[in-house]
């Protein structure tokens, strides 16, 4: 809903009178704009009341000028529209309204949520005011630029729950009740009543199913559909095979216990186990670069960078944000990156860029108590590491049976690309690095 681009090479057309318009400026490198302003650039005439007009900048200017109408004839009404969703997303579902007609909203305050295949995003109010009405409904399929609500900048809140007036009440009370004759005619006879309400006879062989009143049917969210489609595509595309190993977590947990307080004091973030697993995975991917590669048609693409996706479970479904350039990060950087992405995932604030790409995935089912599982590859990657719960189990150490904190690891890989030898050596290296964490620090 942006107007045509203004060409700085043509001569300026004459200014036109109101209706009112806002002016939008942005750099060429930006793909979309969320915030709008009536502030004009230096050298452009200013007006006490913004009017529609075209102003031209020098050809050397890095800016382009666009205009977009938000005003009605009296300049009081503005429109809230669906924002840009990302290059790979063309539409979404209007999941829910966060406000009601008559509610007061501030500028940039969310009033509705759009659910897409990948993320949930907000529709924000462009101005402070009162919501006049919604022009879309929950469940509608919407595209960027579609109007969702009309907002009045000066109207008082609508009294949507006002009581009926006295005149109306009197009119309603003065309506005569239906005649008694009609009541008698509406009543069925005893014979008819017994026929109507007689229980339906069922065969003894028919199953007794619960009544439909005890069931609820709701539309499947788009994110859940997307997850299901991707997982099924993964099963249909990859020749998936899973190999397992177990890790004695004694030394790693001791290292964490010994240095956790100093780590927080210096870096301002807690030392978790996930950063250790990420560092171990980085070392294993560098040792077995085929695990970091991917099939593309008839070619194999080897990546000289390592971007690790971390699976995060939310109330709306599984999301997999990416920590980039992990091979260049230390433990503190990784922990900060994980905490930032986890917070955004919980708040539903992940963007498309946060989840794009990734060369390898780590999924921690152990936080929910999973003892062992076979994770499914996150397309288009070629492998995924599954972490599980840490459980005290009897193991043999130097000929003695001891109770040790043990974790099962699972590596699911695309057998079209990765042979069993590379997969086993990859998982074995992760095991060695975690059981002797000093090797992580010395890069051995």
């Amino acid at each position: 809903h942006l107007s045509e681009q203004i060409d700085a090479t043509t001569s300026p057309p004459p200014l036109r009178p109101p209706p009112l318009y806002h002016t939008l400026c942005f750099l060429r490198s930006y793909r979309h704009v969320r915030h709008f302003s009536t502030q004009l650039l230096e050298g452009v005439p200013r007006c006490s009341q913004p009017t529609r007009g075209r102003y031209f900048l020098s050809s050397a200017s890095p800016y382009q000028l666009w205009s977009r109408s938000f005003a009605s004839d009296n300049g009081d009404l503005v429109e809230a529209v669906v924002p840009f969703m990302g290059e790979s997303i063309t539409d979404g579902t209007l999941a829910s309204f966060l406000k009601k007609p008559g509610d007061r909203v501030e500028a940039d305050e969310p009033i509705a949520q759009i659910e897409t295949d990948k993320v949930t995003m907000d529709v924000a109010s462009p101005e402070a005011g009162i919501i006049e009405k919604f022009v879309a409904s929950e469940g509608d399929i919407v595209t960027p630029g579609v109007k969702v609500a009309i907002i009045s900048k000066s109207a008082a809140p609508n009294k949507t729950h006002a009581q009926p007036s006295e005149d109306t009440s009197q009119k309603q009370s003065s309506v005569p009740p239906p005649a008694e004759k009609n009541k008698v005619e509406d009543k069925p006879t005893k014979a008819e009543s017994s026929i109507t309400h007689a229980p339906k006879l069922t065969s003894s062989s028919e199953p007794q199913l619960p009544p439909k009143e005890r069931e609820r049917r709701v539309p499947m969210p788009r994110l859940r559909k997307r997850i299901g489609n991707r997982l099924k595509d993964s099963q249909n595309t990859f020749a998936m095979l899973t190999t397992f190993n177990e890790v004695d977590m004694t030394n790693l947990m001791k290292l964490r216990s010994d240095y956790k307080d100093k780590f927080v004091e210096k870096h301002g973030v807690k030392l978790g186990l996930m950063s250790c697993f990420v560092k171990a995975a980085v070392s294993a991917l560098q040792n077995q670069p085929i695990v970091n590669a991917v099939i593309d048609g008839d070619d194999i693409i080897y990546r000289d960078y390592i971007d690790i996706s971390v699976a995060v479970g939310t109330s709306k479904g599984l999301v997999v944000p990416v920590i980039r350039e992990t091979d260049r990060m230390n433990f503190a950087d990784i922990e900060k990156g994980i905490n930032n992405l986890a917070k955004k995932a919980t708040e539903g604030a992940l963007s498309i860029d946060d989840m794009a790409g990734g060369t390898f995935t780590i999924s921690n089912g152990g936080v929910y108590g999973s003892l062992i599982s076979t994770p499914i590859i996150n397309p288009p990657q070629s492998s995924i590491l599954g972490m599980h719960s840490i459980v005290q189990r009897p193991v043999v150490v130097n000929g003695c049976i001891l109770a040790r904190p043990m974790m099962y690891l699972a590596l699911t890989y695309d057998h079209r690309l990765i042979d069993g030898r590379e997969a086993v050596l990859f998982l074995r290296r992760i095991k060695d690095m975690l059981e002797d964490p000093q090797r992580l620090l010395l890069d051995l």
Side-chain angles (χ1 to χ4, degrees), residues 57-89:
L57 306 176
S58 63
S59 58
S61 172
Y63 293 92
Q64 293 174 321
L65 194 63
W66 303 67
S67 65
R68 182 188 185 283
S69 173
F70 282 118
S72 66
D73 291 340
N74 60 8
D76 179 61
L77 300 181
V78 294
E79 303 165 356
V81 301
V82 177
F84 176 75
M85 300 179 183
E87 292 182 353
S88 61
I89 301 178

Side-chain angles (χ1 to χ4, degrees), residues 15-92:
L15 296 180
R16 299 180 181 179
L20 300 181
Y21 277 71
H22 287 268
T23 299
L24 164 64
C25 300
F26 61 96
L27 285 168
R28 284 192 179 95
S29 59
Y30 283 81
R31 298 179 181 175
H32 67 282
V33 177
R34 179 175 178 182
H35 301 287
F36 301 90
S37 173
T38 56
Q39 179 69 37
L40 297 178
L41 296 176
E42 184 176 357
V44 176
R46 302 169 183 259
C47 303
S48 59
Q49 295 293 330
T51 60
R52 177 176 179 176
R54 298 179 178 180
Y55 301 99
F56 297 86
L57 306 176
S58 63
S59 58
S61 172
Y63 293 92
Q64 293 174 321
L65 194 63
W66 303 67
S67 65
R68 182 188 185 283
S69 173
F70 282 118
S72 66
D73 291 340
N74 60 8
D76 179 61
L77 300 181
V78 294
E79 303 165 356
V81 301
V82 177
F84 176 75
M85 300 179 183
E87 292 182 353
S88 61
I89 301 178
T90 58
D91 59 35

Side-chain angles (χ1 to χ4, degrees), residues 396-411:
V396 178
V397 180
N398 297 326
C400 301
I401 299 177
L402 301 175
R404 291 294 186 107
M406 304 297 294
M407 175 192 287
Y408 286 119
L409 294 181
L411 177 71

Side-chain angles (χ1 to χ4, degrees), residues 362-389:
I362 299 178
S363 177
N364 186 8
V367 296
Y368 307 110
S370 173
L371 181 62
I372 194 168
S373 66
T374 55
I376 297 179
I377 295 173
N378 177 28
Q381 300 171 15
S382 300
S383 55
I384 179 173
L385 176 68
M387 299 168 54
H388 299 92
S389 57

Side-chain angles (χ1 to χ4, degrees), residues 126-198:
E127 298 280 351
I130 304 299
I131 297 177
E132 286 282 322
K133 64 178 179 178
F134 291 122
V135 293
S137 303
E138 291 184 358
D140 286 355
I141 303 299
V142 293
T143 56
V146 169
K147 290 187 291 186
V148 171
I150 304 296
I151 297 166
S152 172
K153 293 186 289 184
S154 61
N158 294 334
K159 298 179 180 180
T160 56
H161 301 288
Q163 296 296 327
S165 64
E166 184 178 352
D167 294 340
T168 305
S169 302
Q170 291 176 355
K171 288 182 181 180
Q172 291 176 349
S173 61
S174 63
V175 177
E180 291 295 324
K181 179 180 178 180
N182 294 339
K183 290 185 178 180
V184 174
E185 289 178 353
D186 290 341
K187 287 186 178 181
T189 63
K190 286 186 177 181
E192 291 174 342
S193 178
S194 62
I195 294 174
T196 303
H197 301 287

Side-chain angles (χ1 to χ4, degrees), residues 86-374:
E87 292 182 353
S88 61
I89 301 178
T90 58
D91 59 35
T93 301
L94 182 54
S96 62
F97 288 110
L98 307 178
K99 299 288 184 178
K100 301 187 296 295
D103 285 354
R104 172 79 184 180
V105 292
E106 301 300 327
D108 295 327
E109 182 178 359
I111 62 175
Q113 285 190 328
I114 305 295
E115 209 172 62
T116 71
D117 295 344
K118 297 181 179 180
V119 295
T120 299
M121 57 184 58
D122 295 331
V123 177
S125 172
E127 298 280 351
I130 304 299
I131 297 177
E132 286 282 322
K133 64 178 179 178
F134 291 122
V135 293
S137 303
E138 291 184 358
D140 286 355
I141 303 299
V142 293
T143 56
V146 169
K147 290 187 291 186
V148 171
I150 304 296
I151 297 166
S152 172
K153 293 186 289 184
S154 61
N158 294 334
K159 298 179 180 180
T160 56
H161 301 288
Q163 296 296 327
S165 64
E166 184 178 352
D167 294 340
T168 305
S169 302
Q170 291 176 355
K171 288 182 181 180
Q172 291 176 349
S173 61
S174 63
V175 177
E180 291 295 324
K181 179 180 178 180
N182 294 339
K183 290 185 178 180
V184 174
E185 289 178 353
D186 290 341
K187 287 186 178 181
T189 63
K190 286 186 177 181
E192 291 174 342
S193 178
S194 62
I195 294 174
T196 303
H197 301 287
K200 182 180 178 181
L201 297 178
T202 58
S203 172
S204 59
S205 61
E206 293 182 4
Q208 298 298 314
L209 300 177
K212 295 296 183 181
E213 291 78 9
R214 296 175 62 186
E215 299 177 352
R216 290 183 298 113
R217 181 184 295 268
V218 296
M220 181 180 291
R222 290 176 66 102
L223 180 59
R224 176 54 57 189
K225 289 181 182 178
R226 177 66 173 172
I227 292 172
N229 291 335
R230 284 178 61 85
L231 293 179
K232 193 58 185 175
D233 289 344
S234 178
Q235 284 187 325
N236 295 338
T237 302
F238 300 124
M240 287 192 287
L241 188 62
T242 304
T243 184
F244 300 92
N245 213 319
E246 61 179 356
V247 179
D248 186 343
M249 301 289 289
T250 302
N251 293 332
L252 185 59
M253 294 177 69
K254 184 178 185 302
L255 175 71
R256 181 190 178 197
S257 176
D258 291 343
Y259 294 100
K260 62 180 182 180
D261 294 336
K262 293 182 179 179
F263 192 88
V264 173
E265 182 180 346
K266 180 175 181 178
H267 300 291
V269 64
K270 293 182 179 179
L271 175 61
L273 295 178
M274 183 59 77
S275 59
C276 301
F277 275 84
V278 170
K279 292 291 287 184
V282 167
S283 176
L285 289 168
Q286 292 172 335
N287 188 258
Q288 298 291 334
I290 190 64
V291 182
N292 201 45
V294 66
I295 295 177
D296 183 21
D298 294 330
D299 300 326
I300 299 175
I301 299 177
Y302 288 88
R303 282 90 161 240
D304 295 329
Y305 59 93
I306 299 176
D307 293 348
I308 292 187
S309 307
V310 180
V312 179
T314 68
S315 58
K316 295 184 178 180
L318 185 70
V319 293
V320 194
V322 181
I323 307 173
R324 307 193 185 280
E325 304 288 349
T326 52
D327 51 326
R328 301 181 181 181
M329 301 172 73
N330 57 29
F331 286 84
D333 293 334
I334 294 173
E335 288 293 348
K336 292 175 182 177
I338 292 173
N339 289 347
N340 180 49
L341 292 174
K343 181 180 179 181
K344 293 174 71 174
T346 302
E347 296 174 350
L350 286 173
S351 66
I352 300 297
D353 292 338
D354 290 329
M355 295 187 289
T359 64
F360 182 77
T361 296
I362 299 178
S363 177
N364 186 8
V367 296
Y368 307 110
S370 173
L371 181 62
I372 194 168
S373 66
T374 55

